[in-house]
Each structure stands twice: as structure tokens, then as C-alpha cells.
Amino acid sequence: MHACVSAAQLRVAGWSTYQIGQALTCCLERVRRGVYVVTAKCSNPDHEFTAALASGENVRLPQETTGMRKQAEDLSIRARSYVGRLPPGAVLSHRSALIAHGLPIPYFDRNDGLTVEAVHPSRGSRRKNLFIRYRDLSSSAFIVLDGCPVTTVHQTLLDVARDYPLAFAVAVVDAAIRRSVVTAKSFRAYCEANPVRTRQRRIAAVIDNIDELRESIGESICAVRFVEHSISGFEPQVTILDERGNFVARTDFANESDKVIAEFDGAGKYYIDGTDPKTAFELERRREYQLRNLGYTVFRIKWSDLFVADLFLRIKATIANRRSAQG
């Protein structure tokens, strides 16, 4: 866990406003107004207090610098900064709870991606860094992790399914199933046992679209895009054989009847198992050549393609043309 400290705690330790300002150049970083995170074990003798916090058991110092991992770490730090500082009765939820449970956040919204989320049984509010939803919450729906109340894994997934877009929610639940945190059966049973007053259809849609065969966040989002664009016929993790029954490829998605394959090119695609990227790329090129020789059209989907319609409309048009040609 990250070590967060308030300005009040620093003053109790004898720090002045000037010292806090100086520490911001070496071992502290501002998280939000009046709260800081320790970023390094500082050798400055005046910073023994923060150095002691940095040396604490299970303390993790910030280390990410760019990209989604940086955003996830920043949200984790900001959520941690509310430990002991949430309104009485509030419980961390949604993305903040996902991080607490070690589950991934598929993507971040540009506007409020780093807002800490919580639920409260009697009131809701929205502040600059904290969004509290007014929600009924039984005592069995939350636990205490690292000193902070957090919704349980099943409740967190239900909340995400209720309040987030379909692709986001399906990707999260798929990841939880893939990591054996929950099962599709247990998630479905929990949702049935805890019906909600609003957005029940959203939850049902998530349940209908989860699939334990998908192997990454990108594949889960891709599968939902097929549904949203009314593209039918694709199955995940399909093994393709040649005319003699020899193995050719195991594809991310294949529509065998219309001879169309969709492959998601995630980060690290050519670094799997320590293989040399050039060698892996050449093997991938040969594999695709074999698939095309078997009559398949192969589409390669990048992360950025998941958030625009262009490529999916091309896939849909290709399937329509093939079906038209077949009569």
C-alpha cells in the first residue's frame, strides 16, 4: 500500500509549511488538498518522519511514469488518501474497489477517471476528487482492507455492471473470472440474490455477454463491440486446421462459416514467452499467410480500433458481402 500523510499529521510531527514545500521537491507528492503521498526514502535528516513512513512494512512507493498503469497507480494513491477520511458510513466502491481487490481497470475516462468512488446508505455527494453514490448496502456487501471499508468483489462487480458501459463492465467481470476471483455462476447468483431498483437490464446484459474463454481485456471489449455493431458469427479461441487436419492457428475470434478472422494485437503481442520480436513477427506473418490461403480474411485490431467504429464496420461489410456472394 502507498503511504499517504496529511498536512495536519506533518505539522504534528513538527513540519512547517516551508518544510512541506521543500519536501515536495524530493520525497512528497501532493495527492489532493492537504494530503500527500511519500514518494521516496529521503536521506535529508529533516525528513526522518517521511523516511520512516517509506520504510514501513508493506509500503509501496510510486513507480509508474506513463500510460494506464500510471493512471491506475494515481487512482490507487488517491483512494488510499481517503483511508480514515471518508464520511462515516461511506464505503469505497466501483473503480476504487477494483484497485483495492487487485482487479484491472480496462480504460480511464478523460473527465473523471481519477475520481475516488464510494457508496453511502443515506446520502450521495460529488466533490472534486470524491463521488459518493446513494445506495443501499448490507453489512455483508463490504469488508475492511488495509483499514478502509471496501465493497466485496461480487458487490463491486455488480456496481460496475450497473453503472458503467457494457464493454467496461464485461471486461472487468471477464478478468475476475479469468483470475479465478469469481465464477460466472457465482456472479450470476449474487446478482439474482441482490436485485437493484434501477438499471437491472444493464446487469443482465453484462451477464449475457461474459465469457471465460477470452484471454485479455482487449478481447473482452472487442467481443462487446461485435454485439454493439450487430456483427454475428464470431467465436473466441477457435482452432483452425488445414485441409489435411493439420494445425494452422488458434485465433482470438473466428467466424468459420463466413471465413473471417479477427485478431486483437495487444501490447506485448510479439514478446510472449521471451521470443525475439523479429522471429515472432515472422511467424505471425507466415501464420496469416496460411490463413489467407485457406480462404480467410484476417482483420488485425489494435487498441485504438476498439474505440472507433471504422474497422468494425469494415468487418461487418466483409461478412455481408461474403454471405451475399454465397447466395
Side-chain angles (χ1 to χ4, degrees):
M1 62 182 178
H2 296 96
C4 291
V5 58
S6 68
Q9 289 173 307
L10 290 171
R11 291 193 179 95
V12 170
W15 286 42
S16 66
T17 301
Y18 174 78
Q19 285 176 301
I20 294 175
Q22 288 296 104
L24 287 172
T25 66
C26 60
C27 60
L28 281 184
E29 182 178 310
R30 187 179 183 274
V31 178
R32 54 188 177 85
R33 185 176 180 180
V35 183
Y36 308 88
V37 63
V38 179
T39 60
K41 185 178 179 180
C42 186
S43 59
N44 188 328
D46 292 334
H47 299 163
E48 290 183 358
F49 179 69
T50 54
L53 291 176
S55 302
E57 186 177 1
N58 298 323
V59 167
R60 183 159 54 92
L61 300 177
Q63 52 187 309
E64 302 297 338
T65 56
T66 59
M68 287 180 58
R69 289 184 178 180
K70 169 64 173 171
Q71 291 176 295
E73 185 176 67
D74 286 347
L75 180 55
S76 176
I77 291 170
R78 188 167 289 180
R80 180 67 191 170
S81 76
Y82 280 97
V83 172
R85 301 179 182 91
L86 286 172
V91 177
L92 287 180
S93 65
H94 295 76
R95 289 171 303 188
S96 301
L98 288 176
I99 284 180
H101 290 297
L103 290 171
I105 296 179
Y107 55 84
F108 285 84
D109 184 271
R110 291 182 179 180
N111 298 320
D112 64 352
L114 297 183
T115 299
V116 175
E117 294 168 279
V119 291
H120 195 284
S122 60
R123 65 177 185 272
S125 65
R126 185 184 283 273
R127 307 175 190 173
K128 183 179 179 180
N129 297 309
L130 178 65
F131 177 27
I132 301 178
R133 292 178 174 86
Y134 169 34
R135 294 283 167 83
D136 293 331
L137 196 68
S138 68
S139 59
S140 62
F142 69 90
I143 57 176
V144 177
L145 292 176
D146 294 328
C148 191
V150 178
T151 51
T152 62
V153 171
H154 281 93
Q155 182 63 42
T156 300
L157 297 179
L158 187 154
D159 288 338
V160 168
R162 180 181 184 179
D163 296 313
Y164 274 80
L166 181 63
F168 186 105
V170 169
V172 167
V173 179
D174 277 353
I177 294 171
R178 196 160 52 245
R179 299 182 183 193
S180 300
V181 176
V182 300
T183 64
K185 182 178 180 180
S186 70
F187 176 62
R188 184 181 298 106
Y190 186 86
C191 293
E192 291 174 352
N194 296 273
V196 298
R197 290 194 298 270
T198 60
R199 299 178 176 175
Q200 186 65 51
R201 288 186 178 180
R202 284 193 177 195
I203 298 171
V206 172
I207 292 173
D208 288 342
N209 283 281
I210 56 179
D211 192 330
E212 61 187 12
L213 292 179
R214 298 166 195 152
E215 297 181 341
S216 70
I217 290 290
E219 289 180 26
S220 295
I221 296 175
C222 186
V224 173
R225 298 301 185 230
F226 289 148
V227 173
E228 292 172 339
H229 290 286
S230 300
I231 301 172
S232 62
F234 279 104
E235 296 294 333
Q237 311 308 324
V238 176
T239 297
I240 305 296
L241 305 177
D242 64 17
E243 298 89 341
R244 299 179 181 180
N246 297 317
F247 175 84
V248 174
R250 183 170 180 263
T251 63
D252 293 338
F253 296 96
N255 178 331
E256 293 188 277
S257 62
D258 297 310
K259 291 282 190 175
V260 179
I261 286 172
E263 296 278 58
F264 176 70
D265 285 341
K269 180 84 172 183
Y270 303 116
Y271 295 82
I272 298 173
D273 299 328
T275 304
D276 175 69
K278 291 183 179 180
T279 301
F281 181 81
E282 177 60 23
L283 291 173
E284 189 70 14
R285 189 186 67 80
R286 293 179 184 176
R287 171 181 178 271
E288 187 167 319
Y289 182 76
Q290 287 180 287
L291 290 170
R292 294 185 188 281
N293 276 347
L294 291 173
Y296 285 94
T297 298
V298 181
F299 289 91
R300 310 206 72 84
I301 302 173
K302 303 187 299 296
W303 179 260
S304 58
D305 293 326
L306 297 176
F307 301 94
V308 291
D310 296 2
L311 185 57
F312 291 95
L313 293 179
R314 285 171 51 202
I315 293 172
K316 186 174 183 178
T318 298
I319 292 174
N321 289 339
R322 292 211 163 194
R323 289 177 180 174
S324 177
Q326 292 169 4

